[in-house]
Amino acid sequence: MSGAEPAGDARQSTHGSGPRHTTDSSDPSQPTPHAAVAENVRVPVKPHSGRPRIGIMGGTFDPIHHGHLVAASEVQHTFGLDEVVFVPTGRHPFKRDQKVTLPEHRYLMTVIATASNSRFSVSRVDIEREGTTYTIDTLRDLRRVYPDAEFYFITGADVLPDILRWKDSDELWTMAHFIGVTRPGHRLATTGLPPEGITLLEVPAMAISSTDCRKRVAAGAPIWYLVPDGVVQYIAKYRLYRNDMPISQEASNGASRVGKEQG
Ligand code: NAP
């Protein structure tokens, strides 16, 4: 456990030129994170409770790339997290008929990508749970593993406007603080979302996207330096994302995008 304190009063906006960060700038020993807090959101400034602070990095990770890793590192630093647990999704509730690489491949690429960071780990809770992946189930499963922890759920900011439609959305706010990682220039409509429950963090490295990595592989373009070297090699070894990928290496997501989800 790091015992690191969270940012000082970080009620900042991104008005102005360069990125703002949330650590106490009076401390020159603090590195400047390559992140910014988006406008109208604030980093919680409550004192450290002494409970472990666990980041839960939820995503499809198809494939995991350096944007995800930088984002996790920035959030870990900004919030003084003791650990960031990467949780590759199982079946996505909102995507119909979308090809997603088999969970075991996505899990193993995530393990390879995170192996060198002692604060990073990877959980199988979502890929081993039967049926559709709901974040409420992710949080409940991890609560059993970390009974005393404060949870910080980290994901792409694009996902957050949908959160009010997520299963048991009222309960989600009681279980975790939500952190939306944004790409540069991304604007988020936060209408209806509780501002005290969400923080947005701008991470320039998120200009990398999984979609672009997949397209590059399919087109025969390099993905060196967009994803960790071991992941480049894993993708080549199993011929992932190539147009000639055997059907057995892909899975189709089946659930409907329509309406609020039912448990
Ligand atoms: P997605 O729709 O595939 O991704 C949307 C955007 O967010 C993409 O730009 C994506 O970039 C980015 N993104 C996704 N995960 C990220 C992360 N951890 N860090 C930074 N950027 C990220 O989203 P998804 O991966 O399926 O879902 C994200 C998380 O939300 C998962 O944990 C999922 O289980 C959860 N979720 C829950 C519910 C529910 O409970 N009902 C519904 C939807 C999603 P890349 O493509 O480059 O990753």
Side-chain angles (χ1 to χ4, degrees), residues 56-61 85-89 121-123 125-126 138 142:
I56 300 169
M57 181 79 169
T60 308
F61 304 132
V85 184
F86 287 68
V87 188
T89 56
S121 63
V122 189
S123 169
V125 288
D126 280 0
T138 312
L142 290 174

Side-chain angles (χ1 to χ4, degrees), residues 155-217:
T155 194
D158 310 15
V159 178
L160 292 180
D162 271 343
I163 206 168
L164 297 174
R165 293 196 296 133
W166 290 11
K167 181 184 165 191
D168 295 343
S169 59
D170 289 347
E171 193 183 338
L172 286 173
W173 311 116
T174 69
M175 297 190 71
H177 184 80
F178 283 75
I179 300 168
V181 179
T182 71
R183 298 193 158 91
H186 178 87
R187 310 289 298 179
L188 183 71
T190 51
T191 315
L193 302 176
E196 67 282 3
I198 293 184
T199 301
L200 299 186
L201 208 63
E202 190 174 290
V203 177
M206 279 304 299
I208 303 170
S209 82
S210 296
T211 304
D212 183 53
C213 291
R214 293 193 301 273
K215 284 181 179 167
R216 289 180 69 87
V217 175

Side-chain angles (χ1 to χ4, degrees), residues 9-256:
D9 190 330
R11 207 168 297 203
Q12 302 179 358
S13 81
T14 50
H15 295 306
S17 49
R20 304 276 182 95
H21 62 84
T22 56
T23 47
D24 181 355
S25 58
S26 65
D27 180 359
S29 67
Q30 291 285 331
T32 301
H34 302 289
V37 180
E39 62 186 43
N40 300 328
V41 290
R42 55 199 171 82
V43 173
V45 290
K46 59 185 177 183
H48 201 296
S49 64
R51 298 162 62 196
R53 292 184 162 175
I54 304 297
I56 300 169
M57 181 79 169
T60 308
F61 304 132
D62 192 17
I64 190 165
H65 53 67
H66 277 128
H68 297 129
L69 296 165
V70 171
S73 174
E74 293 292 354
V75 175
Q76 185 278 322
H77 172 80
T78 301
F79 286 82
L81 304 183
D82 298 292
E83 182 180 347
V84 178
V85 184
F86 287 68
V87 188
T89 56
R91 285 170 62 90
H92 193 289
F94 290 149
K95 295 174 184 170
R96 189 204 297 266
D97 298 332
Q98 182 165 325
K99 298 286 187 190
V100 179
T101 305
L102 286 176
E104 204 62 32
H105 282 313
R106 294 185 286 108
Y107 169 79
L108 287 172
M109 288 190 281
T110 307
V111 169
I112 290 167
T114 56
S116 61
N117 189 324
S118 61
R119 288 191 190 275
F120 289 175
S121 63
V122 189
S123 169
R124 297 179 64 89
V125 288
D126 280 0
I127 65 171
E128 288 190 344
R129 194 183 315 105
E130 292 287 320
T132 303
T133 296
Y134 296 113
T135 295
I136 193 74
D137 297 325
T138 312
L139 294 174
R140 287 173 181 154
D141 284 353
L142 290 174
R143 175 57 68 202
R144 285 188 273 278
V145 181
Y146 302 96
D148 300 326
E150 292 176 5
F151 282 160
Y152 296 77
F153 189 84
I154 311 158
T155 194
D158 310 15
V159 178
L160 292 180
D162 271 343
I163 206 168
L164 297 174
R165 293 196 296 133
W166 290 11
K167 181 184 165 191
D168 295 343
S169 59
D170 289 347
E171 193 183 338
L172 286 173
W173 311 116
T174 69
M175 297 190 71
H177 184 80
F178 283 75
I179 300 168
V181 179
T182 71
R183 298 193 158 91
H186 178 87
R187 310 289 298 179
L188 183 71
T190 51
T191 315
L193 302 176
E196 67 282 3
I198 293 184
T199 301
L200 299 186
L201 208 63
E202 190 174 290
V203 177
M206 279 304 299
I208 303 170
S209 82
S210 296
T211 304
D212 183 53
C213 291
R214 293 193 301 273
K215 284 181 179 167
R216 289 180 69 87
V217 175
I223 54 168
W224 292 107
Y225 317 117
L226 298 175
V227 307
D229 292 358
V231 174
V232 178
Q233 290 160 335
Y234 187 97
I235 289 168
K237 177 175 178 180
Y238 291 100
R239 302 178 69 78
L240 303 183
Y241 312 125
R242 295 172 62 113
N243 292 329
D244 59 354
M245 182 201 296
I247 202 78
S248 62
Q249 292 194 359
E250 295 182 327
S252 175
N253 253 305
S256 166

